[in-house]
Amino acid sequence: MSDGYIASMLGLLTPAVLETLYMVAASAVMSYVIGLPLGILLVVSSKGHIMPAPWVERTLGTVINILRSAPFIVLMVALIPFTRMVIGTSIGTTAAVVPLVVAAAPFVARVVESSLKEIPHGVIEAAQSMGASPFQIIYKVLLPEAKSSLILGAAITIINVIGYTAMAGAVGGGGLGDLAIQYGYNRFRTDVMIITVAVLVIFVQAVQTLGTRLAVSAMHTKR
Amino acid sequence: MIQIRNLSKVYPARSGDVRALDGVSFDIPQGSVYGIMGLSGAGKSTLVRCLNLLERPTGGEIIVGGHDLTRLSEKQLRSARQKIGMIFQHFNLLQSRTVAGNIAFPLEIAGMTADDIRARVAELLPLVGLEDKAGAYPSELSGGQKQRVGIARALALKPDVLLCDEATSALDPKTTRSILTLLRDINRSLGLTIVIITHEMHVIKDICTHVAVLHDSKCVENATVEEVFLSPKSQVAKEFVSGIFKADIPEELLRELESHSDSELVRVSFLGGSASEPMINGLIRSSDVQVSILFGSVDHVRSTLFGNLLLELRGTDEQRKRAHEYLLGQNLSVERVSYE
């Protein structure tokens, strides 16, 4: 392998890796900013929970289901006018973050919901019996008790988002997926294809390993 | 201390409403250890959960320290709850917090400063015998230790009442005893009123001063423990009391006894002083009946002696009548037992 080959490969990979990292980080953060409160709302408004409001749960649940049923590639194209409204353009890496968030936030809401529902009802009742307010129950009971499960959920979300970013090329978002299509597929550069996939595999492994490790250290239950 | 007035709770269900509590009324005196007893499904758990409004009653009043809880706003209710501690069958500790963290929880809820919380936790740990476990997580504790954490947590805000919802039902007999002893000590040293829900008769016998018996969602009996043990009025209470002093007479023996036309079986119970009187001796002398003792036990109901004897009395009708008169004259509780 010549130095020239490595240099050209790095030249292709480096911007793609950075674009992917940027899209994943930005959309993961934004989808938690939106999805975490929604997930909490889904749980606390459910029947028999601390702030029962069946219509809130039902309405929110329906909206989330609708967003989750649209295939990402369709969602991305359908959201072009919305993206332009939010950030002023519909082309580019930042523009790709908007549909990524729209797709990932409902997913986050469901993942958070299932984590919070694992907490035994008795623990919540104990907090109520001590005079805790709904807000205190959320941040002193629900979130800390579900911490380990929430971390695992975050790892799943990030891995999902990494998968979605492969389609970002459709709106000129770049990233590793786009590189694989443009070079690996359209220009028959099998080597680029393989390296790109390898980098993605490393990303996914790293996220999952880190997530599992953090989850275990947050867990105080013997298994 | 706590007045329960005409309390009812109805759960709506598709197959018709389920009435869990039906017009229950009784008073829980200050400083008492009040047992609420009943078979499963009698409504005990619903009742205790109504006492801090974890379950909102359909009708009736719960007056704690002069205030009707059912009329309080959410905010007033939260501060009222801080004065009502509760422990649970499955402990309900926060798995993500240490022992000290769990005990600190209600103090944080009440908005105490970190220094005050630390000081209060340091007071509570020795009270429940967990000084060396402050940094342990619930998953590292035994059932009895977990319940001790539950108790410390429930006592943290110096409540007026402690509600125990089947607090010992998940524990082994030895641990149950140590938890009951702890509760009794707390009742004595802090003057705390304790309400205990249980289906275990011996819990009532060991530490309660008063008992209410629930059956089919109604309160069928409520009195001091001594009264209920000596002369249970309701069928359920009778079964509970005879259950704990169960005399399993072998069937062959019963059949043989049955064949004696001049004999009868009586259960004699006595409380306190009578236990030391030479009762059998007096019985024989005064009535000339022949007495065989089939079963006997002397036990404590709290600190009072409680004796139970199953006697076969043989003699003429006249002699047996005199025997009954003698026993009643000795202030003993006498009940004829049928052969079954």
Side-chain angles (χ1 to χ4, degrees):
Chain A
M1 239 183 279
S2 71
D3 285 354
Y5 176 79
I6 292 176
S8 78
M9 188 58 88
L10 281 177
L12 285 175
L13 271 180
T14 312
V17 165
L18 291 178
E19 280 157 2
T20 293
L21 285 178
Y22 167 72
M23 285 188 285
V24 170
S27 50
V29 169
M30 281 308 295
S31 40
Y32 265 88
V33 168
I34 298 167
L36 184 66
L38 290 182
I40 293 170
L41 193 58
L42 273 177
V43 172
V44 298
S45 66
S46 65
K47 191 167 164 266
H49 217 280
I50 54 176
M51 296 167 88
W55 65 271
V56 171
E57 193 206 5
R58 225 173 301 130
T59 314
L60 192 56
T62 310
V63 172
I64 287 172
N65 289 345
I66 291 172
L67 285 175
R68 289 197 59 200
S69 42
F72 182 63
I73 188 81
V74 175
L75 194 69
M76 200 154 53
V77 177
L79 283 174
I80 285 177
F82 176 71
T83 307
R84 194 174 295 135
M85 203 176 76
V86 176
I87 58 166
T89 173
S90 59
I91 307 287
T93 314
T94 305
V97 171
V98 175
L100 281 171
V101 171
V102 174
F107 181 80
V108 169
R110 286 295 185 203
V111 169
V112 168
E113 179 193 24
S114 83
S115 293
L116 298 186
K117 284 209 161 151
E118 284 166 23
I119 299 165
H121 194 63
V123 176
I124 296 159
E125 265 187 353
Q128 282 179 314
S129 81
M130 286 177 254
S133 66
F135 185 61
Q136 286 172 320
I137 292 177
I138 290 169
Y139 81 96
K140 280 183 180 291
V141 179
L142 296 184
L143 295 178
E145 286 290 290
K147 192 170 159 196
S148 144
S149 167
L150 287 170
I151 291 171
L152 285 177
I156 295 174
T157 305
I158 291 171
I159 289 168
N160 238 326
V161 171
I162 292 176
Y164 285 166
T165 58
M167 290 175 245
V171 293
L176 286 165
D178 194 33
L179 180 69
I181 300 277
Q182 299 297 341
Y183 283 77
Y185 183 70
N186 294 344
R187 299 184 198 177
F188 306 104
R189 288 279 304 270
T190 313
D191 56 334
V192 176
M193 178 75 91
I194 291 171
I195 290 179
T196 312
V197 171
V199 172
L200 284 172
V201 167
I202 291 168
F203 273 10
V204 169
Q205 292 290 348
V207 170
Q208 189 60 59
T209 308
L210 185 68
T212 308
R213 254 198 222 148
L214 288 174
V216 168
S217 77
M219 189 162 53
H220 300 290
T221 321
K222 279 185 203 147
R223 292 268 155 149
Chain B
M1 176 68 224
I2 302 180
Q3 289 145 305
I4 300 163
R5 290 284 170 272
N6 208 17
L7 193 66
S8 65
K9 173 75 190 181
V10 179
Y11 293 105
R14 216 166 294 162
S15 53
D17 291 353
V18 179
R19 194 166 276 277
L21 290 173
D22 187 2
V24 173
S25 300
F26 60 90
D27 288 359
I28 298 174
Q30 170 85 48
S32 62
V33 180
Y34 211 105
I36 297 175
M37 193 175 79
L39 301 166
S40 348
K44 310 176 296 267
S45 227
T46 308
L47 175 57
V48 79
R49 291 159 52 83
C50 278
L51 295 184
N52 61 2
L53 251 60
L54 276 182
E55 206 78 71
R56 194 164 269 280
T58 316
E61 296 176 342
I62 298 144
I63 300 156
V64 180
H67 299 286
D68 180 2
L69 291 188
T70 62
R71 287 171 205 276
L72 299 182
S73 69
E74 280 295 316
K75 196 156 177 258
Q76 289 170 318
L77 176 62
R78 286 203 288 270
S79 65
R81 277 175 173 166
Q82 297 183 351
K83 286 288 163 195
I84 307 175
M86 188 168 193
I87 58 175
F88 304 85
Q89 179 175 3
H90 299 295
F91 325 121
N92 296 347
L93 302 179
L94 297 165
Q95 300 295 323
S96 59
R97 286 178 176 233
T98 61
V99 167
N102 268 285
I103 300 175
F105 183 80
L107 305 168
E108 290 173 22
I109 294 295
M112 283 172 63
T113 65
D115 283 344
D116 290 349
I117 291 176
R118 216 168 303 128
R120 182 71 184 133
V121 171
E123 275 170 28
L124 285 158
L125 284 169
L127 183 70
V128 294
L130 290 175
E131 300 94 316
D132 53 339
K133 293 282 179 198
Y137 284 95
S139 60
E140 300 161 340
L141 302 178
S142 69
Q145 290 170 328
K146 284 182 198 168
Q147 196 57 288
R148 284 167 185 273
V149 178
I151 292 171
R153 180 175 73 169
L155 295 177
L157 289 169
K158 304 184 176 166
D160 304 318
V161 195
L162 177 64
L163 307 177
C164 312
D165 188 2
E166 297 275 8
T168 59
S169 301
L171 303 174
D172 63 63
K174 187 163 169 260
T175 315
T176 296
R177 233 173 352 258
S178 81
I179 293 291
L180 292 178
T181 309
L182 174 63
L183 288 175
R184 190 180 51 204
D185 293 347
I186 289 165
N187 166 256
R188 285 185 187 154
S189 60
L190 306 177
L192 181 75
T193 307
I194 299 181
V195 180
I196 294 184
I197 298 295
T198 184
H199 62 269
E200 299 170 296
M201 192 64 196
H202 73 93
V203 172
I204 305 276
K205 179 176 78 76
D206 287 351
I207 69 165
C208 292
T209 56
H210 295 71
V211 59
V213 182
L214 289 190
H215 186 61
D216 277 348
S217 315
K218 292 189 175 67
C219 174
V220 290
E221 190 159 350
N222 67 297
T224 64
V225 166
E226 286 84 352
E227 275 175 70
V228 171
F229 267 84
L230 195 58
S231 48
K233 291 179 193 68
S234 60
Q235 192 53 40
V236 216
K238 279 182 187 163
E239 279 165 22
F240 266 116
V241 172
S242 66
I244 200 160
F245 300 110
K246 195 165 177 57
D248 268 331
I249 314 287
E251 222 172 287
E252 311 89 80
L253 182 59
L254 274 180
R255 235 174 287 131
E256 199 198 316
L257 292 172
E258 208 179 350
S259 66
H260 302 158
S261 57
D262 58 347
S263 86
E264 62 182 277
L265 279 185
V266 292
R267 181 190 300 280
V268 180
S269 330
F270 49 86
L271 259 191
S274 322
S276 47
E277 300 287 318
M279 180 265 286
I280 300 281
N281 197 21
L283 176 65
I284 296 168
R285 284 194 184 182
S286 65
S287 63
D288 272 343
V289 286
Q290 295 176 45
V291 180
S292 354
I293 300 173
L294 300 175
F295 172 84
S297 73
V298 180
D299 204 338
H300 281 277
V301 172
R302 294 206 305 134
S303 49
T304 315
L305 282 176
F306 179 54
N308 236 316
L309 278 176
L310 189 63
L311 303 177
E312 186 203 9
L313 304 180
R314 285 178 80 169
T316 62
D317 288 355
E318 177 57 29
Q319 286 169 330
R320 295 203 312 254
K321 196 171 152 239
R322 277 211 303 275
H324 273 274
E325 280 162 5
Y326 169 81
L327 292 171
L328 290 170
Q330 297 295 304
N331 243 337
L332 299 164
S333 155
V334 186
E335 188 194 350
R336 265 195 80 152
V337 182
S338 55
Y339 299 99
E340 261 172 50

